[in-house]
Amino acid sequence: MKKVVIVGGGPAGLTAAYALMKAGVSSVVLEQDAQVGGHARTARHKGYLFDIGGHRFFTKIPEVEKIWREVMQDRFLRVPRLSRILYRGKFFHYPLKPFEALWKLGIFESVWVVLSYLRKKVFPLTPEDNLENWMSNRFGRRLFLMFFKTYTEKVWGMPCTEIRAEWAAQRIKALTLFGAVKTALFPGKKGEHRSLIEEFDYPEKGPGMLWERMADMLTESGQQVLLERHVVGARREGSHVVSMSVRHGETVEELAGTDFIASMPLPELVLGLDPPAPAEIRESARALRYRDFITVAVMIRRADVFPDSWIYIHTPEVQVGRIQNFRNWSAAMVPEAGTTCLGLEYFCNEGDRLWSLSDEQLRALARKEIVKLGFAKAEEVFDAAVVRQKKAYPVYDPAYRAHLDRIRDWLLGFDNLQMVGRNGLHKYNNQDHAMLTSLYAVRNILGEKLDVWGVNTEEEYHEVQSSPTAE
């Protein structure tokens, strides 16, 4: 009889429990928060619903799509994608539309962009191991400086020269300036073309709706989903995990199992092992870094603020990096007619100046910046709420790969422990890939030998689709 202990009640952890349920295997999910969903949960404030970041539902993975449909049935909305960049007071579609960009930039700037692109085709930057060189070689340095550098450095809090090119290769590998121009010039050419998806599915009341329904289905089937359970350690005998140390309130108990699947941050698991991991493994775990994230949901007494689902803010004079308009994701996210809920996203590190601001200071900052950007008048803002998300993004700094490889190789020696999800694998993947890592982990428990760490390593960018065009 197997009993699988699953650490984390986000997309990865709940998917593992769901797959085990269908296979007739007992499991228990341990979630440290008071609600399920992890990074994909839906926050609530006086009837207003908002994401912790935007979570679209689009995948090329059939087994993931099947699970979404089984859980949500017909409760998905089809949402058109509209996202733009705010640069120098002007809006540019993202992905960039070449002719629109040329028109808005003006002839002098446009010629400079094209010449910069051609120069990098003839004299590419080497080595192509950091984000700045990688993107400059594909878009030209001028376009990189205009439309990528400011926002990217807001997100990661470090120069683009210190971000590994692996992040870009995984996220935007199929996008190039030449490809965008080619699609614009020959939209009806027979054959294949690739572009970012133009619409996606979205639960009527946010992504948390799906994960809450899945948790209910698990509970109804006899599986355990335990909230406010913080895993503080793991006891092992050699390369075999025996139990997890779980804190609930003031008590800590040992929860035994035959197999363990963990989506908790990789450093926390490694540093919580008893007996401790070897010194070099602990050193590598401490070296892995994460970027944290604050959402300030601002309620505005106006229905139509802007038509986009989200806007990237490339304006260096404000600290906000991206703004979501949740009314445009689903009208059900806003309970009162004539109002809008905007999610202002601030990227930071736990303990830094921005993170250390009080909630009231953050609400005041968001109000000030939303007015400065021209999206609302001061008197239209009537409420705001703050949500902090620790360890939102694994950081791809110059040293991370060596440390991650060392930890991975050591953990592969364990016979009943598998890491899954974004934080468990220290990989900036999306919820469908996080789910696939858990499906692989479950199949391994059932007897297969699949590479969980290899999910979304060589795959073409998940939002880029190939499709025949009209003749």
Side-chain angles (χ1 to χ4, degrees), residues 47-49 325-328 330-341:
Y48 288 86
L49 307 178
N325 187 335
F326 294 109
R327 184 186 186 89
N328 293 343
S330 169
M333 304 284 279
V334 178
E336 185 180 345
T339 65
T340 295
C341 177

Side-chain angles (χ1 to χ4, degrees), residues 57 69 72-80 199-206 327-333:
F57 286 74
R69 299 299 168 188
M72 289 299 296
Q73 298 178 5
D74 60 350
R75 299 296 297 276
F76 273 124
L77 303 175
R78 198 67 173 168
V79 180
E199 57 183 10
F200 52 86
D201 288 330
Y202 188 74
E204 183 183 21
K205 294 189 176 181
R327 184 186 186 89
N328 293 343
W329 291 70
S330 169
M333 304 284 279

Side-chain angles (χ1 to χ4, degrees), residues 67-189:
I67 291 173
W68 287 346
R69 299 299 168 188
E70 288 174 352
V71 175
M72 289 299 296
Q73 298 178 5
D74 60 350
R75 299 296 297 276
F76 273 124
L77 303 175
R78 198 67 173 168
V79 180
R81 174 192 173 120
L82 174 58
S83 57
R84 291 182 295 172
I85 294 169
L86 178 58
Y87 172 74
R88 291 185 178 177
K90 296 180 180 179
F91 291 98
F92 297 82
H93 281 82
Y94 185 79
L96 294 173
K97 295 183 177 181
F99 296 129
E100 176 199 56
L102 292 175
W103 176 261
K104 291 185 177 180
L105 290 174
I107 186 65
F108 178 77
E109 192 75 72
S110 298
V111 170
W112 194 354
V113 165
V114 172
L115 291 176
S116 175
Y117 171 73
L118 294 175
R119 177 178 173 80
K120 287 299 172 280
K121 292 294 101 179
V122 178
F123 304 107
L125 295 172
T126 58
E128 201 180 74
D129 60 351
N130 64 69
L131 183 65
E132 182 161 324
N133 288 1
W134 191 96
M135 297 188 80
S136 295
N137 287 344
R138 283 157 181 77
F139 295 92
R141 182 161 179 78
R142 184 60 183 168
L143 204 62
F144 162 75
L145 293 174
M146 295 166 68
F147 290 128
F148 297 101
K149 181 178 173 67
T150 300
Y151 176 75
T152 302
E153 292 184 351
K154 278 186 182 182
V155 172
W156 296 107
M158 65 175 73
C160 288
T161 52
E162 295 182 14
I163 303 172
R164 296 286 297 178
E166 294 171 53
W167 174 80
Q170 178 181 309
R171 303 290 295 186
I172 55 176
K173 66 172 62 176
L175 300 179
T176 65
L177 180 60
F178 176 76
V181 172
K182 183 179 177 181
T183 300
L185 289 174
F186 306 106
K189 186 176 180 180

Side-chain angles (χ1 to χ4, degrees), residues 284-296:
S284 287
R286 294 188 185 98
L288 293 180
R289 300 163 54 201
Y290 291 84
R291 188 73 165 151
D292 305 299
F293 177 86
I294 299 171
T295 293
V296 183

Side-chain angles (χ1 to χ4, degrees), residues 439-451:
L439 295 177
Y440 276 22
V442 169
R443 288 165 62 184
N444 287 340
I445 289 174
L446 299 177
E448 298 187 45
K449 295 185 181 297
L450 302 173
D451 181 11

Side-chain angles (χ1 to χ4, degrees), residues 365-436:
L365 174 64
R367 290 189 186 100
K368 177 182 176 181
E369 294 198 338
I370 208 71
V371 172
K372 184 173 184 177
L373 291 169
F375 293 128
K377 298 177 181 178
E379 60 270 21
E380 292 178 315
V381 178
F382 66 91
D383 203 355
V386 176
V387 175
R388 302 166 193 263
Q389 180 63 54
K390 297 180 181 180
K391 296 180 172 60
Y393 306 111
V395 172
Y396 284 39
D397 60 28
Y400 101 98
R401 173 48 63 183
H403 293 298
L404 182 60
D405 288 347
R406 184 178 296 130
I407 295 170
R408 178 201 62 201
D409 293 345
W410 186 71
L411 287 178
L412 286 175
F414 280 70
D415 63 356
N416 69 336
L417 170 65
Q418 298 181 86
M419 304 303 297
V420 297
R422 174 182 288 189
N423 284 354
L425 298 172
H426 200 80
K427 180 178 291 187
Y428 190 178
N429 57 21
N430 292 288
Q431 62 180 341
D432 59 334
H433 289 113
M435 292 173 68
L436 185 60

